[in-house]
Amino acid sequence: MTTTETGLPLFVLGRQADPHSERGVDCPGELPPASDPALVERAERAKAALGDRVFVLGHHYQRDEVIRFADVTGDSFKLAQQAAARPEAEYIVFCGVHFMAESADILTGDSQKVVLPDLAAGCSMADMATFDQVEECWDALADAGIADVTVPVTYMNSSADIKAFCGRNGGAVCTSSNARRALDWAFSRGEKVLFLPDQHLGRNTAVLEMGLSLDDCVVYNPHRPNGGLTEQQLRDAKMILWRGHCSVHGRFTAESVDDVRARIPGVNVLVHPECRHEVVVKADHVGSTEYIIKMLTEAPAGSSWAIGTELNLVKRLGTMFPDKNVSFLDRTVCYCSTMNRIDLPHLVWALESLAAGQVVNRITVDPDTTHWAKVALDRMLALP
């Protein structure tokens, strides 16, 4: 259990938050400018005052106004590893979401303090699987007589509690880059996999990369008795997928792909594996955030790309590669609202507080959860 856990969804736990900040923006479109033109100067001054004592991490989905102050950018696991590689940094300011800051606290030293500039920066996918719900699911698997042949695997986008659950029960963590390797490992140790919390990544990996059928997969719904499944359905399944999804990637549709192909002749459709199965099947290329960036980096000048991932990154790629035609896959899907809670005012507040000797919004994971979550993470790191 983390020190910020209250049983309430993270999005109601904002600190120093503007109550009007969720009014929204036209989408796709520009985010509103920072309200205080002096904020950039203040951030620079606070960061300079802290020097090597602070290390700022910026997830790819963050706003440009925040990314400019990041010492390193990347996906969630890469950033947590980068933090662990900077033992001299007293403060790790994680510009991402809550589960990412938890992972950084798990992997960094006891003397390091991890700060999340806005505690309301949660992840809807991670919130879709709570510890109590997963324990109930495991009990249902035990009642069906299959818990002892089921290996739990959780996506990195999950709480520390869920990572620890997997560690205690012989399972592991995976990323979108190594999900296939993690599932191969799991099936070498058991007959079935309980995949948490993103059903789409689990289904896409099992069916499109491992040759399983859609019939081999069932979806466990934590809001229905026994997950909405019979014991026989659980016994017959190879992949027991948790009913969770990314609120951004889950909104792309097969119609989005058809529409962009009609509008842009010769377009390459590139999507994240968190997208729905029918979207991934229609895409030309599928891969993690790092894979998406690599594809655009290596793409020939003049080529056209419609990208199905978070809008901040898509817009940034369009700026980085002006010689390529970069489009957002959908006409209406917006920014990740919780990622965008980390704005320049919150970052300035966190940096200035640290410079003044006040540690704010510290994320800590208790020792037992840290131990078992690290067991699951270490199993992932040991994958061939």
Side-chain angles (χ1 to χ4, degrees), residues 130-142:
T130 69
F131 180 78
D132 288 344
Q133 289 172 336
V134 176
E135 283 279 303
E136 288 180 10
C137 173
W138 200 247
D139 288 342
L141 300 187

Side-chain angles (χ1 to χ4, degrees), residues 223-244:
H223 302 292
R224 297 182 63 184
N226 210 50
L229 300 167
T230 66
E231 290 189 351
Q232 191 59 49
Q233 285 176 307
L234 289 170
R235 294 188 194 105
D236 291 342
K238 293 184 182 297
M239 286 287 292
I240 302 167
L241 306 169
W242 194 260
R243 190 175 183 270

Side-chain angles (χ1 to χ4, degrees), residues 24 28 30 47 50 55 69 119 213 235 311 332 352 355 374:
E30 298 300 326
K47 195 164 184 283
L50 287 162
F55 190 57
F69 292 103
L119 294 183
S213 72
R235 294 188 194 105
L311 184 53
T332 58
E352 289 183 339
K374 196 168 186 305

Side-chain angles (χ1 to χ4, degrees), residues 197-261:
D198 180 23
Q199 61 171 305
H200 300 307
L201 176 62
R203 181 183 295 106
N204 290 329
T205 305
V207 175
L208 299 180
E209 296 189 44
M210 302 180 67
L212 275 68
S213 72
L214 290 174
D215 290 338
D216 290 324
C217 306
V218 295
V219 177
Y220 182 95
N221 184 346
H223 302 292
R224 297 182 63 184
N226 210 50
L229 300 167
T230 66
E231 290 189 351
Q232 191 59 49
Q233 285 176 307
L234 289 170
R235 294 188 194 105
D236 291 342
K238 293 184 182 297
M239 286 287 292
I240 302 167
L241 306 169
W242 194 260
R243 190 175 183 270
H245 65 275
C246 170
S247 59
V248 171
H249 292 106
R251 290 178 62 182
F252 294 113
T253 65
E255 290 74 24
S256 302
V257 180
D258 293 339
D259 176 68
V260 79
R261 291 198 193 280

Side-chain angles (χ1 to χ4, degrees), residues 24-25 30-34 63 65:
V25 296
E30 298 300 326
L31 285 168
R63 307 163 181 247
E65 67 180 34

